[in-house]
Amino acid sequence: MDLPIVCLPGDGIGPDVVDAAERVLERVAERFGHRLHVERRDFAGVAWDRTGTGFPDETRAACAGAQAILLGAVGDPRHDVLPAAERPERALLELRRMLGAYANLRPIKVIRVLDSSPFRPAAIEGADLLIVRELTGGIYYGEPRGIREEDGRRVGINTLRYDVREIERIARVAFEAAGRRRGLLLSVDKANVLESSQLWREVVAGLASNYPDVRLDHMYVDRAAMEIVRDPRPFDVILTGNMFGDILSDEASVLAGSLGLLPSASVGAGGGLYEPVHGSAPDIAGQGIANPLAAISSAAMMLELSFGLKDEAAAIEAAVTACLRGDVLPRDLGGTAGTTEITDIVLAAL
Ligand code: NAD
Ligand code: IPM
Ligand code: MN
């Protein structure tokens, strides 16, 4: 089949890891008899440098009609001084919203506990969780927002709000995911303090009777942050809002071994958006040492969720697992191999 994808390499290590994922997609297409069509577009910081906007119209047009988008990373310290609305990160928020990609799926699996891990193998081996993060609402988007002057003093304002419809649709995604996994759903909120969380908890609980095979529990986010590292194995699916999901997923990446391993898929109304959980990693950008496995696994999620190609996705996952079980490892996992070397190992396994 034809596999049309839009690629947004973005900033920092983004182009390196997207190149790696594209090489893997090409190999899979060749092996399984598909035709990959890649359309590359400027996005975020690089787009701002070239055109004065992080989300140029031609990128917008390409993304609006896309079945699947592969994104590297956004963000460049040089742009941290820009007004909030012009920052590369805001382009990403706009893209997610434009796509209606409200459900961000972030799987975390402990495949191998290396010496570089701060965890004892006995404490985390076998952990396998999925964070279902609400992606197009909450405090990232709520109005009013901004920095303004009140009574001669500057105030920074953000608004955390969720309406019933937003909560219901993300909760359904999480219930269904739990139904396909071990049947355990944990909704994480801050309902002891926040009204938005009280509504969240009420709406999620109200849906539970539609999913008799799923056991629903609730936990406050502060405790969840602790339990995830104390004993991650009881966790199956974690359902949570935009900001809590952002924070918990970076934390949980340490279980897998590194942020450089965590893929994500963002789905909802239209085309899917696939991106590693990590950012542009300015501290290692341009050195050819970024771990490409998160981007490669994101490409696997794309094949499965946007194109229905389960075998192809499984082949990539198996190749990534083989790489992780081998002796040659990327730097973030305590090895010395660069981006190209790791990608070559995955390609060889394919
Ligand atoms: P980061 O995720 O870019 O990096 C955090 C740490 O993890 C760094 O030490 C980095 O070197 C390391 N790391 C990340 N990905 C790696 C990989 N693939 N291989 C090896 N090491 C890796 O987070 P940060 O430093 O807080 O943010 C840097 C920039 O990225 C900021 O501009 C931020 O806004 C942006 N950001 C973007 C995204 C995204 O595009 N989805 C996500 C997070 C942060
Ligand atoms: C992520 C990132 C983004 C987020 C930023 C760059 C907008 O941290 O995808 O996890 O907070 O969603
Ligand atoms: Mn993040």
Side-chain angles (χ1 to χ4, degrees):
M1 69 189 270
D2 286 303
L3 305 175
I5 70 171
V6 172
C7 265
L8 309 176
D11 304 322
I13 62 170
D16 297 10
V17 300
V18 162
D19 282 349
E22 264 190 57
R23 287 180 67 204
V24 169
L25 283 169
E26 266 157 24
R27 172 67 56 90
V28 170
E30 194 183 308
R31 181 175 140 188
F32 288 85
H34 303 300
R35 285 169 306 274
L36 185 70
H37 308 278
V38 177
E39 201 181 326
R40 284 202 162 213
R41 289 284 181 265
D42 285 338
F43 185 64
V46 285
W48 201 94
D49 287 339
R50 283 177 197 155
T51 67
T53 164
F55 201 0
D57 286 342
E58 55 156 20
T59 304
R60 212 176 275 270
C63 291
Q67 192 172 349
I69 301 167
L70 181 66
L71 173 86
V74 309
D76 183 325
R78 289 183 301 116
H79 297 135
D80 288 351
V81 293
L82 291 176
E86 285 176 42
R87 291 184 56 135
E89 290 86 350
R90 192 62 75 84
L92 179 54
L93 298 198
E94 258 188 68
L95 172 62
R96 290 168 174 172
R97 220 267 150 141
M98 183 187 96
L99 296 172
Y102 62 84
N104 183 218
L105 313 175
R106 298 187 156 186
I108 299 125
K109 213 170 177 164
V110 178
I111 290 170
R112 180 178 177 195
V113 187
L114 294 153
D115 289 344
S116 57
S117 174
F119 294 98
R120 278 178 297 113
I124 63 165
E125 250 159 12
D128 181 357
L129 44 142
L130 173 70
I131 296 178
V132 177
R133 169 191 180 198
E134 199 290 325
L135 199 64
T136 55
I139 198 167
Y140 276 47
Y141 294 89
E143 298 283 348
R145 70 183 298 158
I147 299 176
R148 64 179 72 139
E149 192 143 322
E150 277 175 18
D151 303 327
R153 226 180 294 155
R154 294 173 78 224
V155 289
I157 300 165
N158 291 95
T159 302
L160 171 49
R161 54 170 290 147
Y162 272 117
D163 69 35
V164 171
R165 184 193 60 117
E166 291 173 302
I167 302 168
E168 272 177 2
R169 67 184 182 182
I170 188 68
R172 286 205 184 92
V173 170
F175 274 110
E176 279 159 24
R180 287 189 300 269
R181 292 169 51 102
R182 305 199 309 278
L184 305 173
L185 177 59
L186 181 73
S187 177
V188 169
D189 62 37
K190 189 71 187 172
N192 49 347
V193 177
L194 304 174
E195 284 84 352
S196 58
S197 279
Q198 284 157 16
L199 182 68
W200 178 284
R201 195 176 272 224
E202 181 189 316
V203 171
V204 173
L207 288 173
S209 61
N210 301 315
Y211 303 92
D213 299 335
V214 175
R215 195 186 104 190
L216 172 68
D217 288 303
H218 305 271
M219 193 180 282
Y220 300 132
V221 63
D222 43 357
R223 176 170 175 199
M226 180 274 292
E227 298 285 357
I228 281 175
V229 288
R230 190 187 65 79
D231 183 8
R233 276 171 298 211
F235 290 89
D236 183 14
V237 177
I238 294 176
L239 163 65
T240 193
N242 206 338
M243 188 157 75
F244 296 158
D246 178 45
I247 297 168
L248 292 179
S249 53
D250 267 36
E251 185 197 15
S253 77
V254 187
L255 299 166
S258 165
L259 204 42
L261 290 177
L262 246 56
S264 88
S266 305
V267 294
L273 172 65
Y274 301 86
E275 41 170 328
V277 168
H278 64 71
S280 55
D283 53 337
I284 58 163
Q287 298 178 39
I289 59 171
N291 183 348
L293 295 175
I296 291 171
S297 296
S298 300
M301 294 185 86
M302 166 189 284
L303 291 180
E304 175 162 1
L305 299 175
S306 279
F307 298 104
L309 299 175
K310 283 200 164 126
D311 292 344
E312 289 81 343
I316 295 179
E317 273 317 307
V320 168
T321 299
C323 176
L324 281 176
R325 292 209 196 282
D327 300 328
V328 180
L329 293 165
R331 307 215 178 194
D332 53 325
L333 294 175
T336 55
T339 310
T340 308
E341 213 177 335
I342 295 299
T343 310
D344 288 342
I345 293 172
V346 174
L347 290 174
L350 276 165

